[in-house]
Amino acid sequence: MMRSPSLTRKTRYKNGRLVRTYDWNGLQVDVYDSARNAILVIELFHDEELQPDDKAQLLIRMLFPDPAETVAMAGGQLGELLIHITWEAFGLDISADGRHASEQEAAVFDFEEDAGRIRASLLQCFGIGWDEASRQLSYADMCSLLGMLLEADTETPFQQAIYYRTAKPPKRTKTNADFCDAFEARRKHFALGSAAEDAESSANDKAASMFAAAKRAAQKGA
């Protein structure tokens, strides 16, 4: 799910990595929330080899600059903290009860499938390189930047792909058959594959075991 950027969230760097502060239960929690880390977190949820317990331990270390301190601060609510942060920072609902299901949005792009389009479009439109931007921008800010590509006057590969995925097909008449056929061909060309379409639901499918693992991690200490 796309996240909204904030001009008031505290931002700094630690160990050369972007850190921003999130509020949770009246406490301030530092989080590694760069766009690059967001993609790594998403990949973690989709990993078929790691066990839920291992994922929970890795997630804690991927998200928090001071894992031990954060776990101690969360106490017995580490699972709730992880649910809150992954939703607020990355739009991922890992709750067992699917509490954010009504807020989920249909995916119109995929970082893996559209990687080449995103790289080329950022360079073409803004002169920005993905590698540097993904480390310096939060996931929310990166999503906002990608949204700006759709508003730009310059047609980019990313803008073109999103258009054909979301535009209403033209109504077929006796005189526009060739145009309609061409539109449908482009729509199929730019369509997301099944892996991308199932990405968000796949993360949610693993939520129950992830949530249980997080609670076990809280009991054992990370």
Side-chain angles (χ1 to χ4, degrees):
M1 178 177 177
M2 300 279 277
R3 310 312 290 150
S4 298
S6 171
L7 294 177
T8 59
R9 196 180 301 282
K10 181 181 177 182
T11 301
R12 61 189 176 87
Y13 288 87
K14 183 170 184 177
N15 300 322
R17 299 178 62 188
L18 178 70
V19 176
R20 298 204 306 166
T21 303
Y22 288 78
D23 293 324
W24 175 72
N25 286 356
L27 301 173
Q28 292 194 320
V29 184
D30 287 341
V31 178
Y32 288 131
D33 71 343
S34 70
R36 180 178 178 80
N37 199 43
I39 294 173
L40 293 175
V41 167
I42 293 170
E43 290 177 351
L44 174 67
F45 282 114
H46 298 153
D47 191 296
E48 299 293 339
E49 297 182 2
L50 289 173
Q51 296 300 311
D53 282 13
D54 296 326
K55 288 186 179 183
Q57 295 292 337
L58 282 172
L59 180 64
I60 292 167
R61 287 163 173 76
M62 291 172 70
L63 288 179
F64 307 120
D66 298 301
E69 179 181 321
T70 303
V71 169
M73 178 181 65
Q77 292 187 296
L78 179 59
E80 287 297 315
L81 173 60
L82 290 174
I83 289 170
H84 178 79
I85 294 300
T86 53
W87 175 254
E88 290 297 319
F90 309 130
L92 284 174
D93 183 6
I94 65 170
S95 64
D97 55 12
R99 65 192 65 174
H100 297 294
S102 63
E103 302 173 66
Q104 296 285 358
E105 301 170 357
V108 295
F109 76 95
D110 178 76
F111 279 108
E112 183 175 354
E113 286 196 30
D114 291 316
R117 296 185 183 102
I118 291 172
R119 284 180 179 273
S121 298
L122 289 176
L123 277 173
Q124 176 187 342
C125 198
F126 304 125
I128 297 175
W130 164 261
D131 290 335
E132 182 177 3
S134 65
R135 289 176 170 84
Q136 294 187 352
L137 294 178
S138 69
Y139 179 71
D141 289 336
M142 178 60 74
C143 287
S144 178
L145 190 63
L146 294 180
M148 292 178 190
L149 286 174
L150 306 182
E151 302 171 354
D153 293 333
T154 303
E155 184 176 282
T156 64
F158 183 74
Q159 184 188 75
Q160 190 177 41
I162 301 301
Y163 170 76
Y164 281 104
R165 290 170 189 166
T166 60
K168 184 178 179 180
K171 185 177 180 180
R172 188 176 291 271
T173 67
K174 295 180 179 179
T175 60
N176 70 347
D178 289 344
F179 175 75
C180 291
D181 290 343
F183 182 94
E184 185 59 28
R186 298 291 284 174
R187 191 179 187 86
K188 289 180 179 179
H189 172 74
F190 287 114
L192 288 172
S194 58
E197 292 174 345
D198 294 339
E200 201 158 13
S201 60
S202 176
N204 290 337
D205 288 343
K206 297 176 175 64
S209 58
M210 182 70 206
F211 181 75
K215 289 195 291 186
R216 287 194 295 272
Q219 294 169 353
K220 293 185 294 186

